[in-house]
Amino acid sequence: MTNVNARNIIFVILLSAGSIFTKQECHVHSLSNTIKTDYRKSTLLSWEGNIDLGSCVEERSTSIDDNELGSSLIKINTIHGRNSDTGDDDNNELILKFPEINEDNNGSLASQHCLSAFASAILLQSNEFKVFSKGKDIAELGAGRGLAGMVAAEKSCNCIITEYDNDAIELLQETITANTKNENDNDTSNLQATITTKKLDWRDDNSDIPYVDLVLGSDIAYYYHLLRPIMDTCRKFMNPGSVSVSGDDEEESSKKRPGSSIFIVGQANRESQWDLYTNIKNGCYNQLTDEREPPWTGITKLYLYNLQISIFCNSKKDCDSKKYIDGIIPIHLIIHHDPTPVTADDDNDDEENPTNILIPFQEYAYEATEADYENILKTF
């Protein structure tokens, strides 16, 4: 799987009604060396491949003199991303800055952006997610560089970005500061959420973690032996519906938080990603208790997309040429929602279609079938 290693990475989230990128000058002369900029485009397509949902264009700068990676930008153009419900303008930019990678942490999880994270970034910029995430508490598991969590923080209330890797935690903390404070330590953030980091080992008890409305993950189910820790950690974050919202009056105290959701993106050519879906939906054997556990309460859905990736090109326009397409990766999105009434007396209207608040690009979403599982070639 391709990863991106870069220094001083900056992500720009750009929503517009689709555009043709124009060729730009690729060389910038500094006092000491020459910087070359090249571009790579990742485009999220509908499963049928006929609808362009959005794209990430990575702008990577490299020092020609010493061949070291420098600053990088990613522009996300969500073609089907305009909706009056979000209150956003046609050209809404979200700039995310990522600090420098040094020799000590280069090659670790702290220095990598998996391709699934680019797919997540586009999905999390859909109208459906923006509407859903307002005022929500979110946690990201196995964040790596934290791209998905930082994008989700744009409209949410609180966002906890977790990692086990110490270098990743340190860089995530620097990333939060870079995106929320200026050099005078003044708040300059365009992200509405309060963002924190947490070192998290999925194998621990983790009884101290807070309930959240949504658990995110990008390419975390890459080995079968990780599925049990992932599932147990997700359940620790998920609100069971029995926690009352604090309030001074009796009516306020009787309210309950809505049920929690999970949103896990991965490559559909990985067997373990499908196993995670079936374990949640159908139940599975629990190695820790030596018993078969039942399916999770609620509704579990699986949606498929395609991610088309270009090679690095000399211009943005070249990325659209078929001769520069490096490949197409099937993308697998697991959504689980455990519906709970907002109050004890309310009807659960969410029961019939509980995921309708969180199906990215719902008009073009394709729900996977058993035939899809059989037909997609698994690489491991």
Side-chain angles (χ1 to χ4, degrees):
M1 183 179 64
T2 304
N3 293 304
V4 180
N5 299 324
R7 290 186 173 184
N8 300 323
I9 299 175
I10 301 176
F11 285 85
V12 178
I13 309 302
L14 173 63
L15 271 71
S16 66
S19 61
I20 301 298
F21 295 107
T22 58
K23 187 170 183 179
Q24 297 182 357
E25 184 64 37
C26 295
H27 295 83
V28 179
H29 294 279
S30 66
L31 294 177
S32 59
N33 57 27
T34 303
I35 302 299
K36 177 182 183 297
T37 302
D38 50 9
Y39 307 86
R40 181 174 67 172
K41 184 174 183 179
S42 300
T43 303
L44 189 68
L45 305 171
S46 63
W47 181 241
E48 295 82 3
N50 60 334
I51 303 296
D52 184 345
L53 301 175
S55 60
C56 297
V57 178
E58 179 186 357
E59 301 181 10
R60 185 183 65 176
S61 298
T62 306
S63 170
I64 295 178
D65 295 345
D66 55 20
N67 201 34
E68 288 188 359
L69 292 175
S71 62
S72 176
L73 290 81
I74 287 185
K75 295 184 178 181
I76 299 181
N77 168 26
T78 310
I79 294 176
H80 296 278
R82 172 63 177 155
N83 190 303
S84 58
D85 292 340
T86 66
D88 293 325
D89 296 329
D90 283 337
N91 293 312
N92 178 43
E93 288 188 334
L94 172 63
I95 300 177
L96 300 178
K97 305 173 184 177
F98 289 77
E100 180 179 354
I101 299 298
N102 57 48
E103 293 181 358
D104 293 334
N105 56 39
N106 188 27
S108 72
L109 291 176
S111 64
Q112 300 176 0
H113 291 283
C114 65
L115 295 177
S116 295
F118 298 136
S120 292
I122 300 171
L123 291 167
L124 296 176
Q125 280 291 301
S126 65
N127 297 323
E128 291 85 355
F129 184 83
K130 282 195 168 189
V131 172
F132 167 82
S133 65
K134 289 184 177 180
K136 296 291 195 305
D137 296 335
I138 295 173
E140 182 183 12
L141 302 184
R145 298 305 307 274
L147 173 58
M150 296 297 289
V151 175
E154 183 184 11
K155 299 294 182 182
S156 58
C157 182
N158 296 288
C159 189
I160 307 170
I161 303 179
T162 72
E163 247 300 344
Y164 175 72
D165 186 274
N166 286 322
D167 290 329
I169 290 292
E170 181 179 348
L171 281 170
L172 287 169
Q173 291 169 342
E174 294 178 17
T175 299
I176 293 171
T177 300
N179 286 281
T180 58
K181 302 289 183 180
N182 61 19
E183 59 184 9
N184 297 319
D185 202 33
N186 296 320
D187 188 358
T188 60
S189 177
N190 291 321
L191 308 176
Q192 296 183 12
T194 299
I195 313 170
T196 57
T197 61
K198 181 176 179 62
K199 181 177 172 63
L200 189 68
D201 188 334
W202 303 336
R203 299 166 296 181
D204 290 344
D205 177 68
N206 294 319
S207 58
D208 61 334
I209 58 180
Y211 293 131
V212 297
D213 300 293
L214 181 69
V215 183
L216 295 176
S218 297
D219 202 27
I220 58 176
Y222 46 87
Y223 293 127
Y224 184 82
H225 71 268
L226 295 176
L227 302 189
R228 169 52 50 191
I230 289 172
M231 293 169 64
D232 290 345
T233 304
C234 284
R235 294 303 295 266
K236 289 293 179 66
F237 272 112
M238 295 177 70
N239 171 48
S242 61
V243 180
S244 298
V245 177
S246 60
D248 296 332
D249 55 62
E250 182 177 351
E251 180 181 356
E252 182 68 18
S253 297
S254 67
K255 290 185 178 180
K256 296 182 180 180
R257 292 174 62 112
S260 299
S261 302
I262 66 170
F263 187 101
I264 298 179
V265 178
Q267 295 182 199
N269 54 3
R270 290 186 168 178
E271 188 76 39
S272 55
Q273 184 78 9
W274 291 86
D275 289 337
L276 179 60
Y277 165 71
T278 56
N279 286 358
I280 294 172
K281 182 177 177 61
N282 300 330
C284 62
Y285 170 70
N286 188 326
Q287 305 95 318
L288 301 179
T289 63
D290 194 26
E291 296 177 344
R292 181 173 179 81
E293 63 181 38
W296 286 17
T297 303
I299 303 297
T300 308
K301 299 287 186 180
L302 173 59
Y303 297 96
L304 295 174
Y305 306 86
N306 280 301
L307 188 68
Q308 177 180 279
I309 308 153
S310 76
I311 63 173
F312 279 101
C313 304
N314 291 328
S315 72
K316 297 176 183 178
K317 186 175 182 180
D318 287 344
C319 294
D320 293 318
S321 174
K322 290 183 178 180
K323 68 179 181 179
Y324 293 122
I325 299 302
D326 193 30
I328 297 178
I329 296 174
I331 295 296
H332 184 290
L333 169 61
I334 301 171
I335 298 176
H336 175 83
H337 181 62
D338 189 357
T340 302
V342 176
T343 68
D345 298 328
D346 285 346
D347 293 331
N348 190 2
D349 296 332
D350 211 22
E351 188 70 53
E352 293 184 0
N353 190 11
T355 57
N356 61 358
I357 58 173
L358 191 53
I359 304 177
F361 307 109
Q362 184 169 358
E363 182 180 354
Y364 307 100
Y366 174 83
E367 188 169 356
T369 66
E370 291 186 10
D372 294 316
Y373 169 75
E374 297 294 336
N375 293 331
I376 295 175
L377 179 64
K378 315 299 189 302
T379 55
F380 56 93

